[in-house]
Amino acid sequence: GCFECCIKCLGGIPYASLIATILLYAGVALFCGCGHEALSGTVNILQTYFEMARTAGDTLDVFTMIDIFKYVIYGIAAAFFVYGILLMVEGFFTTGAIKDLYGDFKITTCGRCVSAWFIMLTYLFMLAWLGVTAFTSLPVYMYFNLWTICRNTTLVEGANLCLDLRQFGIVTIGEEKKICTVSENFLRMCESTELNMTFHLFIVALAGAGAAVIAMVHYLMVLSANWAYVKDACRMQKYEDIKSKEEQELHDIHSTRSKERLNAYT
């Protein structure tokens, strides 16, 4: 009894949705956690080594944009935590265990609409995560250039290389926030662990965004399979209803004829 109950419970677990949910949570956690810390490290680097300061008032500068990105990260973490739970519930909704509890009719009528809705929503989220992945690659590229300049100064003696923030759009054209290899701030930045840590945090955040994209693709496959399942179940249910109705009609006709023969005989 207990063993059969355990087997039945394990058979009702949507393993495909479970794997996709774990991958989604891991990707979102990496992106949000590492992205938040990398943005904080970027603020420290800009203030310490590039000698940039926050603009007073409501001016939209790079520090305000970083704060906005942090709030966006908070929203992404909360939204996809809830969305992962909803997708897991949808996975359980279309399993055989729930089908045995509630019957075919409720599964096919509700599950088909729910699966179609989640397919559309997941597709839109997949496109959004593709955009997030492309956007996250920009700071990785910027930090790679900065890391390369630091590395080249140790390989090429006497090289005077400069990095101007205007070429990345961080500051306006009128501002000159340039740091060169001959300056003391540049040497301190290259020797510090903060630059290396921030660079690798952005790389991990990029990997997390890529994992979220893979999770969305996995979810699309699972949801498409679930939608096909409930669609076939709906057709099977209609076939069973028609078949039962025809059998009942034949049974009624046979009963009526038997009664007529019995009356005629008597």
Side-chain angles (χ1 to χ4, degrees):
C2 182
F3 178 75
E4 293 178 356
C5 182
C6 292
I7 294 299
K8 185 177 180 180
C9 291
L10 291 176
I13 297 175
Y15 292 101
S17 297
L18 181 62
I19 294 173
T21 303
I22 294 174
L23 184 60
L24 176 65
Y25 282 165
V28 173
L30 287 176
F31 172 78
C32 294
C34 295
H36 183 274
E37 293 301 317
L39 290 174
S40 299
T42 301
V43 171
N44 294 332
I45 290 174
L46 292 176
Q47 290 178 338
T48 304
Y49 304 109
F50 287 89
E51 298 179 351
M52 293 182 61
R54 290 181 178 269
T55 306
D58 298 331
T59 306
L60 187 63
D61 57 357
V62 63
F63 297 106
T64 305
M65 291 297 297
I66 289 176
D67 292 337
I68 293 174
F69 291 149
K70 287 183 178 180
Y71 286 114
V72 171
I73 285 176
Y74 301 150
I76 290 175
F80 279 92
F81 176 76
V82 176
Y83 190 66
I85 294 177
L86 292 177
L87 289 176
M88 276 298 298
V89 171
E90 192 276 340
F92 277 106
F93 189 70
T94 53
T95 54
I98 302 299
K99 179 180 176 181
D100 294 337
L101 289 175
Y102 296 102
D104 289 339
F105 182 73
K106 291 183 179 180
I107 292 298
T108 53
T109 53
C110 298
R112 189 175 180 183
C113 296
V114 171
S115 296
W117 170 255
F118 275 120
I119 287 173
M120 181 185 68
L121 200 59
T122 304
Y123 181 76
L124 295 177
F125 282 146
M126 185 195 68
L127 295 179
W129 273 108
L130 284 174
V132 171
T133 304
F135 183 78
T136 310
S137 63
L138 295 179
V140 173
Y141 172 74
M142 294 166 56
Y143 273 96
F144 177 75
N145 287 340
L146 186 57
W147 178 79
T148 303
I149 293 176
C150 289
R151 185 171 177 270
N152 289 338
T153 55
T154 59
L155 297 177
V156 182
E157 186 177 356
N160 185 17
L161 304 176
C162 296
L163 180 69
D164 196 342
L165 296 181
R166 291 178 295 182
Q167 70 189 59
F168 298 108
I170 296 178
V171 296
T172 60
I173 299 298
E175 300 180 67
E176 184 177 354
K177 293 296 181 181
K178 182 170 62 175
I179 187 171
C180 298
T181 56
V182 295
S183 64
E184 183 181 354
N185 284 341
F186 187 87
L187 297 177
R188 287 174 48 235
M189 181 181 63
C190 292
E191 291 175 356
S192 67
T193 58
E194 193 172 18
L195 174 64
N196 191 47
M197 178 63 69
T198 305
F199 176 43
H200 286 87
L201 284 174
F202 271 120
I203 293 177
V204 177
L206 178 62
V213 172
I214 297 174
M216 290 292 103
V217 175
H218 195 165
Y219 267 128
L220 280 176
M221 294 188 294
V222 173
L223 292 169
S224 299
N226 290 342
W227 186 82
Y229 165 75
V230 295
K231 183 179 179 181
D232 292 340
C234 183
R235 291 178 178 177
M236 184 61 66
Q237 181 67 31
K238 291 180 180 179
Y239 171 75
E240 293 292 338
D241 292 341
I242 294 173
K243 184 179 178 181
S244 299
K245 186 177 180 180
E246 290 178 351
E247 290 177 352
Q248 184 64 36
E249 290 177 353
L250 290 175
H251 178 72
D252 294 340
I253 293 173
H254 180 72
S255 299
T256 302
R257 288 180 179 179
S258 298
K259 289 181 181 179
E260 292 177 352
R261 290 175 184 176
L262 181 61
N263 293 332
Y265 177 75
T266 55

